[in-house]
Amino acid sequence: MSTYLVRKGHSLTGEITVPGDKSMSHRAMMFAGLSEGTCTIDGFLPSEDCVATLNAMRACGVGIEADSASDKGFGPTRYVVEGKGCQLTAPTEPIDCGNAGTGMRLLAGLLAGQPFVSELRGDASLSSRPMNRIVTPLAQMQARIETLGGDGGCPPLRIRGGTLVPTTYTLPMASAQVKSAVLLAGLFADGKTTVIQPIMTRDHTERMLQSFGVEVVTEGTHISIEGGQPIKARDFHVPGDISSAAFWLVAAAAQPGSKVTIPNIGLNPSRTGILAVLKRMGAQITEIIDEDHGEPIGRLEVNGAGLKPTEIGGEEIPNIIDEIPVLAVGAALAPGTTVIRDAKELRVKESDRIDAVVKNLRAMGGDVEEAEDGMIIHGGKQLRGATVPSYGDHRIAMAFAIAGLFAEGETIVEDTACVNTSYPSFESTLKRFI
Ligand code: S3P
């Protein structure tokens, strides 16, 4: 079993580069594959989750060539994709989505409109995650999807694709994955499909489809797409992932004396909620946007000043949903009480992240109360090194490696192979600061 051994670290200084954005890498590979021509994707995240999506597109007949010169040790980041237009070919075997909820849910939307049968599978964690949230709206569009994983609406998914009818669907939960699955299916429906979101969620699908020449109309909480639009080929640069930068943002902000720059990072406002939360916690962070070709990209500069408590909840939750585990670690380092609420979705991520964070913080001497939709953290107690599980969840493994940098003694994070799903180079950066 791979583990991290972490000791109390020193202040973080210098430049930290993080790999490509996971959400954008999945989408860029799918849209390039559906495009009518040749696209070059650079900055792609060669993690297990995104490579599973790449392999899924290959299995559907898309030609994808890796540029081996772009491999800096963790896999190629540059690919030339020969799009097949919106007509894919039937895969000959079940498609393995690995650990990736985003990959499976978006591919389900896309495959629902293809005239063949396909099957999507996942690892043990993905096989226990809820899929009825996409099956219900896609069934409304007359897609025929069976969940083969027991009564709970879990994977594998058997998709009998075909002609779809448009729909108007109000999301029962704030989920960009569900929104995107419906919009992608909407591309293959005859007419206008509208998704109504209760709260704004990450809008990479809308932005990226537009940059691939597809008209997507956003009017307040309503997002609409007309079926039958072609996807134009274009090159796409995937910026660094702010959800991966989050680990260093929290560590640097919490450690007085730190001075860190993170270049080439995606600064889409539907993802930068972590900066607002950290600023409320007293962090000194500067955001500099360098370019914007559909997605704002820039630099973050952090000066460590220590953290103070805050309240986290309401409309900001979808924006920071993936950053809450490491924000909870930051809250444990901030003297005073931090409340996290309205975050029940954390219970159906790669692990039950409320349960995992509460158990691991307690194991390290933290004072934390569990709530159904979040937690109350009484921060400022000196953390102690401990052996903590990752629960097979990449963000739990990385969040508790960061906790280890602030704990007395040694912290062992167990079962860290899961980090390869989103951030294969995490450990090499971690070692700089131990
Ligand atoms: C993602 C959306 C979020 C997030 C996930 C990536 C995406 O999930 O947690 O890591 O790329 O659309 P939900 O939309 O289900 O909350």
Side-chain angles (χ1 to χ4, degrees):
M1 181 173 67
S2 55
T3 57
Y4 295 151
L5 170 61
V6 188
R7 295 193 184 85
K8 204 165 186 183
H10 47 78
S11 52
L12 286 76
T13 51
E15 187 171 280
I16 300 176
T17 53
V18 297
D21 187 275
K22 180 159 77 71
S23 292
M24 287 190 232
S25 295
H26 282 296
R27 287 163 173 81
M29 199 48 86
M30 290 181 203
F31 301 168
L34 292 173
S35 75
E36 298 184 335
T38 306
C39 310
T40 300
I41 301 174
D42 74 41
F44 183 81
L45 170 65
S47 72
E48 288 170 3
D49 274 17
C50 299
V51 169
T53 288
L54 183 159
N55 287 335
M57 296 310 288
R58 270 195 183 136
C60 294
V62 176
I64 304 170
E65 284 293 328
D67 174 358
S68 53
S70 68
D71 185 345
K72 303 287 180 288
F74 298 95
T77 56
R78 193 178 159 89
Y79 294 84
V80 178
V81 181
E82 297 296 339
K84 279 187 67 78
C86 282
Q87 272 148 9
L88 301 177
T89 47
T92 52
E93 287 175 8
I95 290 172
D96 184 3
C97 298
N99 189 247
T102 308
M104 181 174 282
R105 292 189 176 121
L106 271 60
L107 284 168
L110 190 159
L111 291 169
Q114 298 293 321
F116 51 72
V117 179
S118 54
E119 190 175 313
L120 300 177
R121 293 187 177 168
D123 69 5
S125 153
L126 183 53
S127 297
S128 66
R129 294 182 66 188
M131 291 296 147
N132 280 341
R133 52 180 59 201
I134 54 156
V135 173
T136 302
L138 295 176
Q140 213 168 290
M141 301 176 78
Q142 285 176 16
R144 289 168 304 157
I145 305 184
E146 282 169 84
T147 52
L148 306 177
D151 328 321
C154 292
L157 300 179
R158 183 172 300 133
I159 303 168
R160 287 170 215 281
T163 312
L164 299 178
V165 298
T167 194
T168 295
Y169 186 70
T170 302
L171 296 175
M173 73 289 291
S175 166
Q177 293 181 359
V178 180
K179 169 179 70 177
S180 302
V182 178
L183 291 175
L184 284 177
L187 264 180
F188 304 98
D190 188 11
K192 182 165 94 170
T193 292
T194 301
V195 180
I196 305 169
Q197 7 182 32
I199 304 179
M200 160 89 169
T201 62
R202 64 188 68 192
D203 63 0
H204 302 302
T205 298
E206 298 91 303
R207 286 173 184 256
M208 207 185 287
L209 278 175
Q210 272 165 312
S211 63
F212 278 83
V214 176
E215 196 189 347
V216 182
V217 178
T218 302
E219 288 165 317
T221 55
H222 292 47
I223 301 141
S224 302
I225 193 164
E226 273 301 326
Q229 299 184 64
I231 301 188
K232 298 200 181 102
R234 63 155 287 174
D235 296 340
F236 195 87
H237 169 71
V238 180
D241 195 329
I242 192 163
S243 299
S244 297
F247 300 100
W248 313 117
L249 292 173
V250 170
Q255 187 72 271
S258 293
K259 196 170 169 40
V260 160
T261 302
I262 307 179
N264 180 40
I265 199 86
L267 294 173
N268 177 322
S270 66
R271 297 285 300 285
T272 51
I274 179 158
L275 305 179
V277 174
L278 284 174
K279 283 179 191 168
R280 290 207 302 276
M281 296 178 82
Q284 296 174 8
I285 304 182
T286 316
E287 229 177 307
I288 304 125
I289 294 181
D290 296 319
E291 52 183 302
D292 189 339
H293 308 287
E295 287 280 354
I297 304 176
R299 268 167 296 151
L300 293 171
E301 292 173 0
V302 194
N303 286 315
L307 292 173
K308 50 186 200 200
T310 189
E311 300 223 344
I312 301 175
E315 301 227 330
E316 71 185 343
I317 291 294
N319 195 312
I320 56 165
I321 194 75
D322 292 339
E323 289 72 75
I324 292 177
V326 74
L327 282 170
V329 168
L333 302 171
T337 299
T338 290
V339 180
I340 303 174
R341 60 167 77 88
D342 306 319
K344 206 166 156 213
E345 275 292 303
L346 288 174
R347 295 208 180 266
V348 291
K349 293 294 178 188
E350 286 83 330
S351 69
D352 175 342
R353 287 184 175 160
I354 295 177
D355 179 70
V357 167
V358 168
K359 285 195 174 125
N360 281 359
L361 279 179
R362 284 185 184 152
M364 296 182 76
D367 182 355
V368 47
E369 296 169 58
E370 178 167 354
E372 188 45 33
D373 66 343
M375 63 194 86
I376 301 167
I377 300 163
H378 304 286
K381 315 257 173 327
Q382 175 59 56
L383 294 180
R384 296 185 307 264
T387 297
V388 288
S390 69
Y391 296 89
D393 182 335
H394 55 133
R395 301 211 194 274
I396 299 299
M398 292 186 276
F400 283 88
I402 299 302
L405 290 176
F406 293 86
E408 291 296 350
E410 279 181 4
T411 298
I412 295 171
V413 184
E414 295 180 320
D415 190 12
T416 53
C418 51
V419 169
N420 291 331
T421 61
S422 71
Y423 195 166
S425 55
F426 176 78
E427 189 176 11
S428 73
T429 301
L430 178 68
K431 283 186 173 152
R432 273 172 57 187
F433 304 119
I434 299 179

